[in-house]
Amino acid sequence: MTTTACFIIVSRNDIPIYEAEVGSAAKREDAAQLHQFILHAALDIVQDLAWTTSAMFLKAIDRFNDLVVSVYVTAGHTRFMLLHDSRNDDGIKSFFQEVHELYIKILLNPLYLPGSRITSSHFDTKVRALARKYL
Amino acid sequence: MIGVGKIKQYSNILDKPLSKGKQEVSLSAFAFLFSELVQYNQTQVDNIAELERRLEDAGYAVGARVLELLCHRDKGNRRETRLLGILSFVHSTVWKVLFGKVADSLEKGTEHEDEYMISEKELLVNKFISIPKDMGTFNCGAFVAGIVRGVLDGAGFPAVVTAHFVPMEGQQRPRTTILIKFAEEVLRREARLG
């Protein structure tokens, strides 16, 4: 079953620090830009919602046609956003939690400036592997 | 073979599991490192204010990381959204992990609505430091003030945090107070959330 999924990590200052198309469907050039546009438009909703709850996983917060945006907010207000067409809530939650651990390990690097782009190829490999496993 | 068990070698930090946080660092090692940090910065600046700012910036980087790590490790992935919540998080959890004990006291300022104070009889970083008379009001606790500012800023509560000495009668060394002054938007949001 092919799934579309676009994963973005947005820092506290609303700057994307990591993006990846992790769906198993064939990648189309215009689809990637549309996905990023939808995710950025959902940022406003996340901002309001983040202050109403102390949980980190804010399920599905926005929809576009048949694509759903799910968001996970960390303690430092870094947002993990996933645009997808599946309904697998538990899988998505586990995916977010695993990526959160990876993100903390990157953050603990004293030479990493918080809020800057994540350029590690190993991180990229691991995120894609997690996406294949959970999504 | 006189052997130790085979230790798994990780090629990349991302493969290693996050530590449980039970490890302790020797106080002398930290004091030595901190004294070098202060001395190095002293050679780089011309005045006290700049030195304090540099120590604060060093602490800010620590604070940002401590916030994420502790929320994940000790608080089971719950974020703090209220003012009192984040203050008690700093006062207990952060202090316990960094200094081995909770802070001595957390008080609300009487003159202004947006001021809070965390007091400590003897701040760990100041334990082996004495300030010469000609440096006036300089306080190496600016490093800890930076850590607190990093935690508050990361959690979405921007504030100005400073460290002050408060002389106490009957005690030779003055008490250290970390003064936290929250920004306007924090108070407005707190009022809005009710």
Side-chain angles (χ1 to χ4, degrees), chain A:
Chain A
M1 186 196 77
T2 58
T3 57
T4 4
C6 180
F7 177 62
I8 278 191
I9 302 183
V10 184
S11 77
R12 212 150 54 84
N13 310 318
D14 296 331
I15 302 172
I17 58 179
Y18 176 79
E19 47 212 16
E21 287 274 343
V22 296
S24 46
K27 322 267 179 278
R28 280 167 38 227
E29 184 53 53
D30 50 345
Q33 289 169 354
L34 179 64
H35 292 165
Q36 288 181 15
F37 183 74
I38 301 169
L39 285 172
H40 280 81
L43 276 178
D44 283 332
I45 307 177
V46 180
Q47 206 155 10
D48 290 331
L49 224 55
W51 289 106
T52 61
T53 169
S54 72
M56 285 192 176
F57 182 50
L58 315 169
K59 313 222 177 119
I61 55 155
D62 192 21
R63 31 182 345 111
F64 177 81
N65 295 347
D66 60 340
L67 296 171
V68 175
V69 179
S70 297
V71 169
Y72 181 95
V73 185
T74 69
H77 281 269
T78 307
R79 286 146 283 188
F80 300 160
M81 307 181 74
L82 185 69
L83 179 71
H84 57 93
D85 54 5
S86 64
R87 294 286 170 274
N88 182 6
D89 255 358
D90 284 328
I92 292 172
K93 184 170 182 177
S94 322
F95 172 68
F96 278 141
Q97 279 170 345
E98 299 265 344
V99 177
H100 188 196
E101 282 219 16
L102 286 177
Y103 173 71
I104 291 183
K105 288 174 202 169
I106 295 268
L107 186 67
L108 284 177
N109 181 356
L111 301 175
Y112 169 74
L113 181 67
S116 62
R117 292 196 68 87
I118 298 178
T119 51
S120 159
S121 61
H122 199 80
F123 180 79
D124 188 49
T125 320
K126 293 211 83 154
V127 168
R128 288 180 195 277
L130 283 173
R132 275 196 300 277
K133 183 174 162 198
Y134 287 111
L135 296 176

Side-chain angles (χ1 to χ4, degrees), chain B residues 10 22 35 41 45 57 60 81 89 104 109 126 165:
Chain B
Y10 292 100
K22 295 287 187 311
S35 86
N41 281 315
V45 302
D57 287 343
Y60 186 87
T81 48
F89 172 70
D104 284 345
N126 281 340
F165 281 127

